[in-house]
């Protein structure tokens, strides 16, 4: 695969110190593996060598899950509540016009509307987002588009607040995309940003290496996000780190003002948190791999966890994988490494065969659902073995 080399998305230096090769199984015949690096100039952590942009576009188009999702998890509700609370503390007028780019099926917009902000609009690349947002929340102004063309899809100079929730960590062209967005906004308008918080990366808890997902290619702290915004002429006004103990992780929320001049100097990122995260996660992943059966089994899960699991298997373990199942219907029929992804109902074709549940966050819920319908032994990488969970 041809890769694209990246300079640091924050300071543009080309001084990467390689920390880890994040080897991932191909999804839909797309290899999303990348190198995790630390910038030698500012200390920012990012993927220094990526698949081409066209491959990312193909990935998001192929595995988009927004039109397959119909409910809001407790974890997402925590994040949304924190974002709404930050807008309230920032004193954002209830007359403000709000645009959420990458809005999914409108969870944040619905929460803001319910909190009193009536002028809410969204943009999302998933073609079914508008339909789902209307059905679930009666949101009527969701348009199809991307961050790169948001200024054409909607007049952003009329926006008082532009939200980018769980977006920046995904962008191969982070600096230029964010600079272009800000160029469409009027001076004094605000940005609400949410990213995974490097401050909350824990090697002793959560999914091992789970922050290095198929889609996350830069890893922010308050320091690095302030550095990035400052270089783009935006001023960080306030921030909050939300701890998410249920998944051993956290989210960083930032409110910034554009066109007011940002930080004039770059503060160096501390390396200790990422180093501890990689070291601890590597040990815990090796421990979890000991749960892989040494007999033929079915693998349940075709997400980032399994994408990391497959390359870590020994050749004889790979040969034991009979099938790959997943509940996301948008993955059904698509290729996951050497196996087509099948619906959970396909388990009837494998009576008595052990099922390895490859998910950190949802393994117990998946196990309960499978145990209610099938008698297969269930192997949980983080919770042991159960015949009836």
């Amino acid at each position: 695969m041809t890769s694209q080399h990246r300079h640091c998305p924050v300071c543009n230096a080309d001084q990467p110190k390689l920390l880890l090769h994040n080897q991932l199984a191909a999804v839909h015949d797309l290899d999303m593996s990348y190198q995790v690096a630390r910038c030698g100039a500012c200390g920012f952590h990012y993927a220094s060598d990526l698949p081409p942009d066209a491959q990312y576009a193909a990935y998001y188009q192929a595995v988009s899950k927004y039109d397959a999702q119909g409910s809001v998890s407790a974890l997402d509700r925590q994040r949304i509540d924190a974002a709404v609370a930050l807008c309230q503390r920032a004193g954002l007028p209830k007359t403000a016009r709000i645009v959420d780019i990458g809005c999914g099926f409108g969870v944040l917009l619905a929460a803001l509307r319910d909190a009193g902000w009536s002028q809410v609009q969204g943009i999302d690349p998933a073609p079914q987002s508008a339909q789902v947002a209307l059905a679930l929340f009666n949101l009527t102004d969701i348009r199809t588009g991307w961050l790169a063309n948001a200024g054409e899809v909607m007049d952003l100079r009329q926006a008082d607040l532009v939200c980018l929730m769980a977006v920046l960590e995904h962008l191969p062209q982070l600096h230029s995309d964010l600079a272009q967005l800000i160029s469409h906004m009027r001076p004094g308008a605000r940005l609400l940003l949410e990213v995974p918080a490097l401050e909350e990366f824990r090697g002793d808890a959560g999914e091992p290496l789970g922050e290095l997902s198929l889609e996350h290619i830069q890893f922010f702290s308050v320091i690095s996000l302030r550095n990035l915004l400052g270089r783009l002429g935006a001023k960080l006004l306030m921030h909050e780190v939300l701890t998410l103990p249920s998944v051993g992780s956290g989210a960083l929320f930032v409110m910034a003002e554009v066109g007011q001049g940002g930080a004039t100097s770059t503060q160096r990122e501390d390396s200790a948190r990422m180093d501890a995260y990689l070291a601890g996660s590597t040990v815990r992943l090796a421990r979890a791999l000991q749960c892989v059966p040494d007999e033929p089994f079915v693998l349940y899960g075709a997400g980032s966890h399994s994408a990391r699991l497959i390359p870590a298997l020994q050749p004889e373990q790979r040969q034991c994988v009979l099938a790959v199942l997943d509940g996301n219907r948008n993955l059904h029929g698509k290729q996951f490494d050497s196996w087509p992804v099948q619906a959970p109902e396909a388990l009837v074709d494998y009576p008595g065969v052990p099922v390895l549940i490859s998910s950190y966050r949802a393994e117990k819920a998946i196990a309960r659902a499978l145990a209610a319908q099938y008698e297969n032994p269930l192997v949980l990488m983080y919770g042991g073995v159960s015949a009836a969970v």
Side-chain angles (χ1 to χ4, degrees):
M1 177 193 70
T2 302
S3 64
Q4 58 172 324
H5 178 70
R6 306 167 82 205
H7 290 200
C8 173
V10 169
C11 74
N12 200 41
D14 189 20
Q15 303 175 28
K17 177 184 178 182
L18 301 184
L19 304 179
L20 178 77
H21 178 55
N22 193 29
Q23 182 68 43
L24 301 164
V27 180
H28 196 50
D29 294 325
L30 300 171
D31 183 355
M32 309 301 289
S33 304
Y34 57 81
Q35 300 279 359
V36 180
R38 175 182 299 128
C39 175
C42 73
F44 183 53
H45 297 96
Y46 67 103
S48 61
D49 293 274
L50 291 177
D53 286 351
Q55 190 155 310
Y56 272 93
Y59 171 82
Y60 284 113
Q61 184 176 14
V63 302
S64 169
K65 61 186 177 182
Y66 295 125
D67 53 351
Q69 194 170 349
S71 61
V72 183
S73 69
L75 184 67
D76 286 339
R77 179 54 61 191
Q78 283 183 270
R79 296 172 47 243
I80 297 303
D81 289 347
V84 172
L86 188 65
C87 290
Q88 292 169 331
R89 288 197 301 276
L92 184 70
K94 292 300 173 69
T95 56
R97 180 185 172 196
I98 301 173
V99 177
D100 185 10
I101 302 176
C103 66
F105 56 95
V107 181
L108 174 62
L109 293 176
L112 289 167
R113 179 199 60 197
D114 294 346
W117 287 278
S118 59
Q119 299 187 72
V120 296
Q121 300 171 292
I123 300 173
D124 198 273
Q128 299 300 319
S129 286
Q131 179 181 340
V132 178
L134 178 63
L136 290 180
F137 303 116
N138 197 32
L139 293 169
T140 58
D141 199 355
I142 307 296
R143 308 181 191 181
T144 301
W146 297 262
L147 178 60
N149 71 347
E152 302 167 12
V153 171
M154 198 171 286
D155 183 6
L156 295 179
R157 290 194 67 82
Q158 300 301 315
D160 299 299
L161 176 70
V162 173
C163 306
L164 292 171
M165 310 293 288
V167 171
L168 297 190
E169 65 269 25
H170 296 258
L171 301 176
Q173 306 299 332
L174 169 66
H175 195 282
S176 60
D177 283 348
L178 194 54
Q180 182 177 351
L181 171 68
I182 289 174
S183 73
H184 288 291
M185 298 172 63
R186 63 171 176 79
R190 294 185 177 186
L191 280 169
L192 174 61
L193 308 174
E194 183 214 359
V195 293
L198 180 58
E199 289 87 349
E200 293 292 319
F201 283 21
R202 294 185 56 186
D204 62 347
E207 178 182 336
L209 298 179
E211 303 291 352
L212 313 181
S213 76
L214 284 159
E215 306 167 7
H216 293 184
I217 54 177
Q218 38 251 343
F219 314 99
F220 294 98
S221 68
V222 175
I223 291 173
S224 57
L225 202 48
R226 180 185 289 114
N227 288 341
L228 174 63
L229 290 167
R231 286 177 170 267
L232 295 172
K235 182 180 180 180
L236 192 153
L237 301 177
M238 55 194 305
H239 74 272
E240 178 182 347
V241 175
L242 174 67
T243 301
L244 300 169
S246 63
V247 290
S249 185
L252 167 63
F253 297 85
V254 161
M255 184 75 74
E257 189 171 355
V258 305
Q260 299 302 308
T264 57
S265 60
T266 298
Q267 183 179 356
R268 184 170 179 83
E269 177 83 77
D270 182 26
S271 63
R273 174 66 70 173
M274 180 61 85
D275 288 345
Y277 174 72
L278 296 179
S281 288
T282 300
V283 171
R284 292 177 60 241
L285 180 60
R287 189 181 306 138
L289 287 170
Q290 296 176 6
C291 296
V292 176
D294 57 4
E295 60 182 305
F297 65 92
V298 171
L299 179 68
Y300 192 105
S304 290
H305 191 279
S306 291
R308 183 170 295 106
L309 169 67
I310 292 296
L313 296 180
Q314 297 298 319
E316 57 272 18
Q317 292 175 315
R318 280 183 60 97
Q319 294 175 5
C320 287
V321 181
L322 300 180
V324 175
L325 312 182
D326 197 281
N328 181 355
R329 66 174 182 267
N330 285 349
L331 291 174
H332 297 165
K334 294 183 171 67
Q335 198 73 8
F336 183 83
D337 198 273
S338 301
W339 303 271
V341 180
Q342 301 179 63
E345 293 76 17
L347 195 55
V348 298
D349 297 328
Y350 304 94
V353 175
V355 180
L356 178 64
I357 300 177
S358 179
S359 171
Y360 180 84
R361 295 186 178 185
E363 70 170 4
K364 292 182 180 178
I366 293 169
R368 285 194 295 268
L370 293 179
Q373 301 182 63
Y374 309 99
E375 297 182 356
N376 301 63
L378 305 176
V379 183
L380 285 67
M381 296 184 67
Y382 303 97
V385 181
S386 176
V389 179

